[in-house]
Amino acid sequence: MHTERLAYIETFGCQMNERDSEIMAQLLAQESYVRTTEISLADVVVVNTCSIRDKAEQKVYSLLGRVRMLKEDKPGLVVAVTGCVAQQEGRKIIDRMPFVDLVVGPQHIYELPDLVIQATHGHRVAVEQSKAFVIPPFLPAMESGSPYKRFVTIMQGCNNFCTYCVVPFTRGREISRSFGDIIAEVNHLAANGIKEVTLIGQNVNSYGLDQDPATRKTFPELLRAVAEIDGITRLRFTTSNPKDLSQALMDCFADLPKLCGHFHLPVQSGSNDVLKRMNRKYTIETYLEKVAGLRRARPDIALTTDIIVGFPGESEADFEATMQLVETVRYHAAFSFKYSDRPHAKSTEFPDKVDEEVKIDRLARLQKRLQEIVEERNREYEGRNLEIMVESSGPNRDGQWAGRAGSNHVVNFTGAGTFVPGQLVTVHIEHACSHSLRGHLVG
Ligand code: 5AD
Ligand code: SF4
């Protein structure tokens, strides 16, 4: 009797992890593991973890609690912990949770299939150290993943050392993929029907800076080269630190119609004192100059951000400066978080920790105002025509199709006809909802 082996992969955290999970699924498929969405059927469970904030890490441990019970019923189950918690905790994970077989840091995902096979023979390991790692060229298989949009990893790691951030310790120092490999990957995707690519890295503005100065390409040069590739109709990227946002990158928004009008520009705080202690290396004044520059280059650009409240030493006046900043910029969307201490992060040692009740109160005040601004922003689209990339493969029960604007807004629309995911259509926006826009097809 032929029995299929099944792999369940759960992903926490950012797009880097989402892409890593896709790669791991493809590598396991080469060893005849079929991906399942039903954890109880799995022969291998991969928990691809995030440790950016305390809450993210707690979610990982609660899933692992469930996996422990599964394994009690199925002792042959192979359990792998990958991603940033794996890198951060290493062998301690196996010491604390003996049902875990493999601990594999983000730089070692290419070894996963071998390690899984060893584990099925009872050999358990932790591979967490990231040393002298070179990103292998990787041409993605087309059988799994979205039929029209993909992430392309262009670099790993971060050299910035913001004092609150765990990333330099989990993803290591900046390493760029070669220009040729990235272009080959996007060409391959385009040839297989992919329309939209998002170039990802923790700090994409530094792309190429670790490479040979004689031949290296900068991030704006890479964007321009990818925009030339036939078949790709939309280009996005994430994430970048405002301090490195150059004029050359702003010029791309003026010159490249394929580059979507959305920029995620994490500000973290509106107070220069707090920014200094965060080691962000920009001031609110220079941040606002960059916001103005982006809006000059692309007047309808949608700006989104990340904000931390309750950083050590944050006074009420510092927090008010953050509230003022969101009034000034009027973000199209924002993610906001309570500060939490992270292993290795410098701010963990800082004095003047903010009380939990104060953090909760500030976060609630900020999120209330952010949501009002987002809704005001959404209403600015009413009466306008937007180019939408279709995302759904059919209409929903109300006859609406789903798609996404260049600004990254989800747009639901009605219209006669049949559309395919990845197709571009023009939609007249009739109504702004709290988290999306609604309209009808034009033409
Ligand atoms: N505490 C709270 N939020 C954090 N972030 C990063 N580190 C921390 C931390 N220690 C937030 C930042 C970052 C986002 C991905 O997570 O806002 O931009
Ligand atoms: Fe989470 Fe950061 Fe790791 Fe992404 S790089 S998974 S956000 S800790």
Side-chain angles (χ1 to χ4, degrees):
M1 192 179 74
H2 173 76
T3 47
E4 214 170 41
R5 288 182 299 174
L6 297 175
Y8 176 89
I9 305 178
E10 177 89 27
T11 311
F12 295 90
C14 65
Q15 291 95 336
M16 300 296 289
N17 263 16
E18 280 183 47
R19 177 70 189 124
D20 286 352
S21 287
E22 269 179 33
I23 294 173
M24 290 190 286
Q26 287 166 208
L27 294 169
L28 286 170
Q30 289 165 8
E31 301 297 332
S32 339
Y33 281 91
V34 176
R35 193 163 178 180
T36 176
T37 53
E38 189 47 67
I39 193 170
S40 61
L41 300 179
D43 302 292
V44 181
V45 170
V46 178
V47 183
N48 194 11
T49 63
C50 171
S51 68
I52 191 81
R53 294 173 297 273
D54 188 50
K55 213 167 149 187
E57 198 172 333
Q58 292 319 316
K59 279 197 223 157
V60 167
Y61 290 120
S62 94
L63 173 63
L64 284 171
R66 273 176 50 214
V67 175
R68 180 176 58 84
M69 292 193 288
L70 278 177
K71 186 143 177 176
E72 279 169 12
D73 293 339
K74 199 194 238 184
L77 181 68
V78 174
V79 179
V81 175
T82 63
C84 290
V85 177
Q87 179 66 34
Q88 178 185 296
E89 300 295 315
R91 188 164 289 278
K92 278 187 280 176
I93 294 179
I94 295 185
D95 295 344
R96 253 186 292 144
M97 293 180 285
F99 62 94
V100 172
D101 300 288
L102 304 171
V103 177
V104 184
Q107 335 298 56
H108 293 269
I109 57 173
Y110 293 86
E111 293 154 48
L112 185 73
D114 266 358
L115 295 170
V116 166
I117 290 163
Q118 288 181 42
T120 55
H121 297 113
H123 190 73
R124 313 167 73 221
V125 253
V127 188
E128 75 277 12
Q129 297 311 324
S130 55
K131 288 201 193 90
F133 172 75
V134 183
I135 303 175
F138 191 83
L139 286 186
M142 298 306 302
E143 302 83 58
S144 61
S146 162
Y148 69 94
K149 64 173 180 182
R150 293 293 173 98
F151 295 129
V152 174
T153 307
I154 65 163
M155 63 181 306
Q156 286 254 27
C158 188
N159 294 348
N160 283 336
F161 290 93
C162 303
T163 53
Y164 53 79
C165 191
V166 77
V167 168
F169 307 99
T170 62
R171 293 266 171 181
R173 291 308 90 73
E174 289 170 2
I175 308 168
S176 303
R177 267 181 94 187
S178 89
F179 179 79
D181 285 349
I182 296 168
I183 297 298
E185 179 162 331
V186 180
N187 271 316
H188 175 80
L189 292 170
N192 284 279
I194 297 297
K195 305 292 178 204
E196 176 181 299
V197 293
T198 303
L199 306 181
I200 58 170
Q202 266 88 22
N203 191 26
V204 293
N205 285 322
S206 305
Y207 173 76
L209 298 186
D210 56 318
Q211 294 180 334
D212 180 356
T215 53
R216 73 182 171 207
K217 302 276 190 215
T218 64
F219 182 58
E221 286 167 339
L222 177 66
L223 274 179
R224 285 175 191 272
V226 174
E228 298 264 299
I229 294 175
D230 281 343
I232 298 299
T233 55
R234 277 189 171 179
L235 183 54
R236 301 179 184 275
F237 63 83
T238 196
T239 301
S240 52
N241 184 315
K243 82 175 166 62
D244 302 315
L245 168 50
S246 62
Q247 187 60 49
L249 182 54
M250 293 184 199
D251 292 343
C252 289
F253 281 92
D255 300 343
L256 302 177
K258 288 183 185 179
L259 183 59
C260 289
H262 169 218
F263 204 120
H264 186 64
L265 200 57
V267 69
Q268 311 301 359
S269 169
S271 154
N272 282 335
D273 282 350
V274 173
L275 289 173
K276 198 167 175 95
R277 278 180 287 118
M278 287 177 163
N279 194 33
R280 290 292 283 174
K281 303 190 186 103
Y282 56 82
T283 63
I284 285 306
E285 291 72 26
T286 55
Y287 181 88
L288 290 174
E289 277 167 27
K290 298 200 174 177
V291 166
L294 282 170
R295 287 180 172 156
R296 271 195 301 276
R298 186 70 75 83
D300 64 349
I301 198 165
L303 297 179
T304 61
T305 202
D306 293 340
I307 296 173
I308 298 175
V309 301
F311 187 78
E314 183 189 72
S315 66
E316 183 60 24
D318 291 324
F319 176 69
E320 285 301 331
T322 299
M323 292 294 280
Q324 182 53 54
L325 178 84
V326 304
E327 296 302 330
T328 308
V329 180
R330 301 185 65 242
Y331 291 103
H332 287 75
F335 302 96
S336 48
F337 313 100
K338 284 184 293 178
Y339 168 81
S340 55
D341 285 341
R342 305 310 298 137
H344 310 293
K346 219 170 168 184
S347 61
T348 300
E349 310 300 324
F350 287 2
D352 304 323
K353 293 284 159 61
V354 175
D355 286 346
E356 186 64 17
E357 307 82 80
V358 175
K359 283 194 232 175
I360 291 172
D361 174 64
R362 287 180 186 166
L363 187 66
R365 282 152 67 196
L366 177 65
Q367 289 186 337
K368 177 167 180 290
R369 188 62 196 128
L370 284 171
Q371 183 55 32
E372 289 165 0
I373 292 170
V374 166
E375 289 177 26
E376 287 163 25
R377 278 295 195 192
N378 285 355
R379 283 197 293 276
E380 292 173 8
Y381 291 92
E382 289 179 349
R384 284 174 54 188
N385 286 350
L386 297 182
E387 185 180 68
I388 305 303
M389 183 171 276
V390 177
E391 296 206 326
S392 58
S393 48
N396 67 10
R397 269 180 294 146
D398 303 329
Q400 289 183 333
W401 294 77
R404 203 171 281 267
S407 59
N408 215 29
H409 287 86
V410 170
V411 178
N412 296 304
F413 66 96
T414 53
T418 310
F419 311 102
V420 291
Q423 185 181 346
L424 292 173
V425 296
T426 304
V427 170
H428 183 78
I429 304 301
E430 294 152 10
H431 184 69
C433 312
S434 49
H435 296 287
S436 62
L437 306 173
R438 219 168 52 208
H440 61 261
L441 187 78
V442 178

